[in-house]
Amino acid sequence: MKRNASILLYLLCGMLCGNEFHVAIDGNDADSGCADAPFRTLKYAFSQLKPGDVCIVHPGRYCEHLDQLPSGEAGKPIVIRSEKPHEAVLTALAPVKNWQHVKGDLWKAAVTRTLPGRNWVFINGKPGFRARWPKRESADFLNWHGAAYQPDASGAEKLVCRDLPDRPDHYWKNATLWVLGGARWTSWSVTVDDYDAAQKAITFHLDDKQESRCAAIPYHAPNAPQGGFFYLLGGVGEIDQPGEYFVDDATQTLYLQLAPGETPDALDIAMQVEKDIVNTRDLAVHDLQIVGFKTLGGSLVLPKCQRVKLENMRCFYLGYIDGGNTGYALKSDVGVLLGGRDSMICDSEIAYSYGSGVIVSGEDHAIVNCDIHDTGFHASYECPVKLTPDSARILVSHNSIHDTSRDCIQPNGSAHILQYNNIYRMGHLCRDLGAIYTCGADGGGTEYHHNFIHENLSSGIRMGIYLDNFTTNYFIYQNVVWDCGISGINLNRPSQNNFVINNTVIGTCKIWGRWPTDWMYNCAYVNNATDHALMKHPQLAVWGNIEDIPTEKLAALKFTSIPEGVGKGFPLPGITGKVASVGAYAPGDTWQAGHDFSRHLRPVYRQWQTPLRSLIRRGNAPGAAPWFAVGTKKIDVQRGKGGIDVCYATRNSILNQSCALIGQNAGVAQTLTGFQRGQLYEFSVWYRLAKESSASNLKLAVVENEGDFLADAEFRADGEWRQATLRVTVKDTTQTLTVQLVNQGEGTIWVDDAAFVGIVPGLEPKFPGLVVPSQREKSDSAEDRERKGQSH
């Protein structure tokens, strides 16, 4: 009878409250789900939702691992919202009860589940700290409170610290060692092999296949002359201050030290029991809005979304990881992960993570009006906002992005827009970094504009906007940069199709390269205002800038136009208009940057329509879609060695991937969109004859309409990387346009880093990219010495 009564009540509520359901801590899943008879669990409530329904979650703490979320329909989204903003808490934490006193202020409790390597304990909603040496001096996550080691006595597989406390031989075996040393681009961690008490020596080894080897050797090893600091994660014997804990996974026992006089029964003590709060894994979720929740102690992983919105969220303490064999990245999903397409995170605060804040993959997402901060506590390449290499057309707008160990934003992928963000206080722990940082990437026309960028805190080499070696196709315009150390806007060579336009910079703008003849092909500084002289390069176009403005004058004017530059800039079609001024503010501009939760900001993705934008997509990956094969022979997309460790002249790619055109008539092509009729364009590509191949030529062709050649030319291939360029004016009658790369001989030709860019009079590329002889290894230039050997 009770079940039948519940069904009747459910039907009556359906007529009275329509498609609105409720969940409450004191509810019951056997009830109807109406406001007066709410469900108890989120999982059950979600299973009842249909397109267009609303689910209201009442205040309380909900500890459920959500591996399925409901989906609505286009135009009929499902809405799940907190009844009172941020009072419904989704958490991966479970209460810890039944405590036993051990000694002094140390207590223990049996726990039903542990997360080896990820155990995180919270006291009254704030995280404790894993047992370690040396002990922490404060609760500042962005201060390691590490100990210095002796680089002269250490090595690639040994760390010596004479300040280590007296411990017996083998004491630190199987502990986790964290090191931030040498160049300090990143930290690394490893499991300790053994400990020699007499030498105060910690020994370890790094397998060749482990990413940590890349991080530790040669730039970050303990014997690097710059030195560094470290800490060790130990067992229960290292608990020596309130809030410190250790979880014995073998016995499922939690040990926790409290403050003198405190007892655990008087405190809210909880431990993480799930890695993620939400993880839909391979489940496609679409047409869903999640509004007004607070999350605590776990990640949100939504890898396959479409038209999903996270709105007015407060996502705190996103994840912890002990370490192990790590290097440039944790290789673990920690943060808010958004994949798929056409989804949004807005009006939210996302903070406190050992990993990243927000990680975005997929296409056409937006991060809008958020406050994202305090991330990367392990000092790796994690950051508040990370866009993955496979991401495209991501809008990052009107956010405050700040306080992290390394960079604030790493915009990998292509065609992104980063606008109106307030980006500051990066570099708490690492060195050689930027507020916005990328390396070895084709930006595909990515734009950074109307951002405030300031207060790089790094103790070493520090920048504002940092395009590191091997970056192509970025637009940097109308940003205000100050207090960013060695370079406000930094372009490292090789650099191609990168344009720095109408910025205001208090500080230098530098250009670095790893080899003396690295190129800066089709790069320009235009209409910038700075209190220093711009660093020049033979291939760099420099027009309309005002340099050496007195710092005090520029600082006073940094949020207004520069009077002496009004109307004196170099006009760029599609960007500045016919009349251009100098600096980030034109007369009458009042723009500001950063989040404002009191405003309902919903900017749209819009790129500047300028001929300077390359029309080739994935120019760094010829052969992969949208490229397609032409001709009769084989093509092969090859993954080459990227990065800056080995000179590009000795490898089979310029960036990190190339296409091999194998044999006579093997070729690749791409159909272009967005071209302007009557515009002069340049088609360029880097090419090289593969080793032991017979001589061959590379043909560049631009084809219009039904296969008519608009222009073509052949270039002799040999064992050096060379740049081929072909210029063509698009006719008024052109309806379609396709570019082709075709091998004209029997050998194999590698092709990489292709572009199709409009030529603006006055900014014409000066000459093709320079070639580095294959036999030349890395130079030891003054710039390299400054970067590698600077003592901080």
Side-chain angles (χ1 to χ4, degrees), residues 504 549 552-564 585:
T504 297
I549 301 173
E552 62 276 9
K553 181 178 180 180
L554 190 59
L557 293 171
K558 68 182 179 182
F559 299 127
T560 61
S561 62
I562 309 300
E564 55 266 51
Y585 282 78

Side-chain angles (χ1 to χ4, degrees), residues 618 620-625 635-640 657-660 662 668:
R618 300 196 70 182
N620 65 327
I635 66 169
D636 182 21
V637 177
Q638 299 188 358
R639 187 77 181 179
Q657 184 170 289
S658 66
C659 182
I662 306 171
V668 291

Side-chain angles (χ1 to χ4, degrees), residues 58 131 240 309 325 374 433 554 560 636 710 729 770:
H58 293 243
D240 57 6
K309 181 189 291 186
N325 294 313
D374 287 274
L433 57 98
L554 190 59
T560 61
D636 182 21
L710 199 58
T729 298
L770 301 176

Side-chain angles (χ1 to χ4, degrees), residues 108 226 304 493 499 566 581 585-586 680 692 704 741 749:
K108 71 176 181 178
Q226 301 99 319
K304 292 187 176 182
R493 306 187 303 266
F499 299 94
V566 173
S581 294
Y585 282 78
L680 174 64
E692 300 179 357
E704 65 169 352
L741 302 169
I749 299 177

Side-chain angles (χ1 to χ4, degrees), residues 491 498 511 520 523-525 535-542 766:
L491 303 184
N498 295 318
I511 300 164
M520 294 197 71
C523 296
Y525 277 88
M535 185 178 289
K536 306 302 191 293
H537 183 274
Q539 289 178 301
L540 181 68
V542 179
K766 296 183 179 180

Side-chain angles (χ1 to χ4, degrees), residues 336-406:
V336 179
L337 282 75
L338 188 66
R341 61 182 301 116
D342 195 22
S343 296
M344 174 182 285
I345 304 172
C346 58
D347 308 327
S348 299
E349 183 179 5
I350 299 169
Y352 312 115
S353 174
Y354 278 87
S356 290
V358 177
I359 304 174
V360 183
S361 61
E363 302 175 342
D364 303 307
H365 300 302
I367 305 171
V368 175
N369 197 36
C370 293
D371 185 12
I372 307 172
H373 61 93
D374 287 274
T375 68
F377 299 152
H378 277 319
S380 64
Y381 271 70
E382 311 302 328
C383 58
V385 177
K386 176 178 285 191
L387 310 182
T388 66
D390 65 346
S391 61
R393 300 179 302 281
I394 310 302
L395 176 64
V396 182
S397 184
H398 294 86
N399 304 287
S400 296
I401 302 170
H402 58 100
D403 288 288
T404 188
S405 61
R406 196 182 145 81

